[in-house]
Amino acid sequence: MKNVKTIALNQLINYIANDPLNKLPKIMELAKKLDRKGTYLKLFTVITDALSDETSHWHKFVENLFNNVDSKVIHKLAECFAINTTLVGRPIREKYKAKYSIQVPWAILMDPTSACNLSCTGCWAALYGKQHNLPFEVMDSICKQGKKLGIYWYLFSGGEPLIRKNDIIKLCKKHQDCFFLSFTNGTLVDEKFCEEVLNAGNLTLCFSIEGNEPATDMRRGKGGYKRVIEAMEIMKKYRLFFGYSTCYHRYNTESVASDEFVDDMIARGCFYAWNFTYIPIGKNAQPDLIATPEQRAYMYKRVNEIRTHKPILALDFWNDGELANGCIAGGRSYFHINAAGDVEPCAFVHYSNVNIKEVSLLEALQSPIFKAYQKRHPFNQNLLQPCPMLDNPEKIMEIVNEANAKSTDIEAPESIEELCAKTKPAAEKWAPVAKELWENREKNSST
C-alpha cells in the first residue's frame, strides 16, 4: 500500500512541478471531493485560498520552493511527510498508543556526538562530555525500530552533529523512506558535503544563528556569523532545503525578531525558522541570559506576525504551546537520545531512567520518567505556560523525583532542585504576563 501511495505521489509532484501555483489549487479542489467525510475540508479551503491569492505569503512560499529547491528534495519532503509520517505512520502510532497506554511521537531527536568544534557562551552541550558518540549501528537500529512504531522523522543535535556527517549521510541513504534534520553551526558545510546531501535528498540543515553579526558573534565567537552565511550560500547554490534556528535571550531577542533579520534569512534561502529561548541548564549556565517576560511576550507576538505575513515556516518551541496543546516532549511529539544513549523526555531535560543500548524504543517509552511526564500533561491549563521546567518547575521536580531519574550531565551533574532554583524566578515573572496574554486571547476569540 505504501509503495502504491508513493508512486501516486511521485506522479502528482511531476504533474504540478512545471506550474505549481496554477495546478495546486486544482489538486486541492479534487482532494475536497475525495474527502467525503469533510475531515480536511477547512484545511483544503485555507490552502486553496492562500495559493490562489498572488499577494499571499504562502503563494510566495510555494513559488520559492519550486523555483529554488531541487525536485528530488521536494519529492522526499512530500513522500516522507505527506505519505509516511501522516498516512502510513499515524495509524501505526495510534495502535501502539492504545495497546500500551503510552505516547508514541512522530519524531526522534538524537545526538550522533557530544563533541563540538565551538564553545558557545551559555551552551549546555559540553556538560555531556566530549567523548561520547552513538555508533552508526545504534542510530540505524533507532531508525529501524522507529519505523516499526510509525516514526519517519529523525533530528540530530549535539555537540555538533556534522562531526559525524559521513555517518549521517550513510543513515539518510539507507533510510530513504525517512526525512532527517540536523541542527548545525555551519562550520563543516562544504561543496562536497552539499553534493552528498543532494544525492541523498532527505536531509535538511537547520543553521544556528543568533540574529545579526554582533549578536551571533557574541555567543558563537568572532567569525561565527560569517561562517553560517557562507554555509547557507553553498546550500542555496545546490538548491537544497534548509532553515535556521535561534536561541533568543536577554541580549538578542529584538535582533532575531526584526523584519531586517527575518527578511535577510528568507533572501538567503531559508524556508523555516525554529526559535528557542535560553534555558539555564548546567553548572556553568548564565541565568542573566534568560529572556525577560516582556521579551518572551514580544516573541509570541512577532512569531505569529512572521508566519502570517512572510513566506517562511516560523515556530517558537515554547510560545507555540498554544498551537500544540501544551508541551510536545515526553514522547508526545518527540523525545531525545543523547550521545551516550540516555533516553530523555526532552533535549532540555537531562534526566533519564534508561539507555537505548540496553532497552528497545518501545521499552524506553514505557520508562518511569516518560510515564510520569505523560501523567501530568498538560502542565498548566494556560498553554502559554507549557514547559514543566521553565514555566512550572514544581512539575519537573515531581517527575524526576517520582521516577527516581538520574542526571545525564556527565561532566557536571546537577540535581533537579539545583536546576529549578534557576528557573523558578523566571517562571514566577512570566506567569502574570502569560495570564494576561491568555485572557486577552480568549476575549479576542470570543468576539
Side-chain angles (χ1 to χ4, degrees):
M1 178 61 73
K2 187 169 86 170
N3 290 336
V4 173
K5 291 177 179 177
T6 300
I7 292 171
L9 179 66
N10 288 339
Q11 292 177 337
L12 181 60
I13 293 175
N14 288 333
Y15 167 69
I16 65 176
N18 63 347
D19 192 13
L21 292 171
N22 284 323
K23 291 179 178 177
L24 274 172
K26 296 177 183 177
I27 296 298
M28 289 298 105
E29 290 300 323
L30 176 60
K32 286 182 187 178
K33 295 177 181 178
L34 295 175
D35 181 26
R36 300 183 185 279
K37 296 183 179 179
T39 306
Y40 302 105
L41 179 60
K42 185 177 180 181
L43 175 62
F44 292 147
T45 301
V46 169
I47 294 174
T48 301
D49 291 346
L51 294 178
S52 301
D53 180 3
E54 293 186 6
T55 65
S56 164
H57 63 294
W58 291 121
H59 187 281
K60 181 65 175 176
F61 180 89
V62 172
E63 185 177 51
N64 287 344
L65 184 68
F66 280 86
N67 286 343
N68 297 304
V69 176
D70 189 272
S71 60
K72 179 177 182 178
V73 179
I74 295 175
H75 273 76
K76 282 298 174 186
L77 279 166
E79 175 190 345
C80 296
F81 286 105
I83 297 295
N84 296 343
T85 294
T86 305
L87 297 180
V88 175
R90 184 174 180 178
I92 299 174
R93 297 193 300 273
E94 293 297 331
K95 180 185 73 173
Y96 278 98
K97 286 180 183 180
K99 183 174 181 179
Y100 294 97
S101 298
I102 58 172
Q103 298 285 1
V104 181
W106 49 276
I108 296 175
L109 173 67
M110 55 180 154
D111 299 346
T113 182
S114 59
C116 186
N117 56 348
L118 295 182
S119 181
C120 300
T121 301
C123 179
W124 46 258
L127 296 176
Y128 280 133
K130 296 182 179 296
Q131 71 273 26
H132 296 292
N133 291 284
L134 277 180
F136 175 82
E137 292 74 20
V138 173
M139 293 192 290
D140 181 39
S141 175
I142 290 169
C143 293
K144 288 178 179 176
Q145 292 181 66
K147 285 188 285 188
K148 290 181 179 179
L149 297 177
I151 305 168
Y152 288 87
W153 191 25
Y154 298 87
L155 301 88
F156 303 113
S157 57
E160 168 50 47
L162 295 192
I163 288 175
R164 298 280 306 284
K165 60 185 178 183
N166 291 337
D167 278 337
I168 287 175
I169 289 295
K170 183 179 176 182
L171 201 66
C172 292
K173 289 183 176 180
K174 185 170 183 179
H175 297 279
Q176 281 284 291
D177 50 353
C178 298
F179 207 85
F180 298 84
L181 179 152
S182 180
F183 294 97
T184 179
N185 59 35
T187 58
L188 300 177
V189 174
D190 54 25
E191 299 255 355
K192 182 180 178 181
F193 178 64
C194 286
E195 289 176 0
E196 293 286 357
V197 174
L198 180 57
N199 182 257
N202 59 340
L203 172 65
T204 179
L205 299 188
C206 188
F207 292 97
S208 299
I209 191 167
E210 310 295 326
N212 59 25
E213 187 168 1
T216 299
D217 287 3
M218 184 201 95
R219 287 199 68 204
R220 297 184 171 272
K222 187 174 178 57
Y225 176 84
K226 289 182 178 178
R227 289 193 293 268
V228 171
I229 296 305
E230 289 169 359
M232 287 183 179
E233 289 174 353
I234 303 174
M235 292 286 286
K236 188 174 183 180
K237 173 184 174 181
Y238 280 84
R239 297 173 57 79
L240 295 169
F241 182 78
F242 62 94
Y244 70 91
S245 70
T246 71
C247 176
Y248 64 89
H249 52 79
R250 184 184 296 266
Y251 305 109
N252 76 335
T253 295
E254 290 72 22
S255 177
V256 299
S258 68
D259 282 327
E260 180 182 15
F261 174 70
V262 176
D263 290 344
D264 183 58
M265 290 293 98
I266 294 170
R268 293 187 184 279
C270 292
F271 285 92
Y272 58 90
W274 284 33
N275 297 280
F276 302 86
T277 195
Y278 179 75
I279 305 290
I281 301 170
K283 298 281 188 180
N284 300 320
Q286 298 188 11
D288 68 299
L289 286 176
I290 298 175
T292 67
E294 292 75 20
Q295 288 175 318
R296 185 167 167 183
Y298 174 67
M299 281 299 291
Y300 170 72
K301 174 186 175 184
R302 281 296 294 145
V303 171
N304 276 293
E305 290 175 348
I306 289 165
R307 65 170 152 237
T308 54
H309 291 88
K310 297 183 184 295
I312 190 167
L313 297 167
L315 303 170
D316 187 320
F317 198 75
W318 273 264
N319 288 335
D320 280 346
E322 175 185 8
L323 300 178
N325 194 33
C327 174
I328 65 172
R332 198 167 157 257
S333 294
Y334 96 105
F335 64 93
H336 179 234
I337 303 172
N338 70 23
D342 300 309
V343 184
E344 304 167 337
C346 176
F348 301 94
V349 177
H350 296 179
Y351 300 90
S352 179
N353 292 113
V354 293
N355 192 288
I356 199 62
K357 298 173 185 176
E358 301 168 353
V359 301
S360 67
L361 278 182
L362 183 58
E363 289 170 329
L365 290 169
Q366 299 174 77
S367 69
I369 194 168
F370 280 78
K371 287 286 191 178
Y373 215 91
Q374 179 179 342
K375 183 168 66 176
R376 289 168 174 81
H377 185 273
F379 302 107
N380 198 305
Q381 293 305 308
N382 182 339
L383 298 180
L384 296 181
Q385 296 172 266
C387 181
M389 186 164 63
L390 184 64
D391 303 324
N392 309 278
E394 71 284 355
K395 297 294 184 182
I396 197 64
M397 283 195 287
E398 289 177 6
I399 290 169
V400 170
N401 288 326
E402 177 182 305
N404 195 28
K406 306 301 181 183
S407 173
T408 56
D409 286 339
I410 305 300
E411 298 292 311
E414 68 178 343
S415 70
I416 191 63
E417 288 76 18
E418 289 176 297
L419 170 61
C420 291
K422 292 178 288 188
T423 61
K424 185 178 179 181
E428 291 173 345
K429 292 175 183 177
W430 172 242
V433 178
K435 183 175 185 292
E436 182 178 357
L437 284 173
W438 188 252
E439 289 175 348
N440 288 339
R441 170 198 168 279
E442 291 182 326
K443 288 178 185 177
N444 293 334
S445 64
S446 63
T447 56

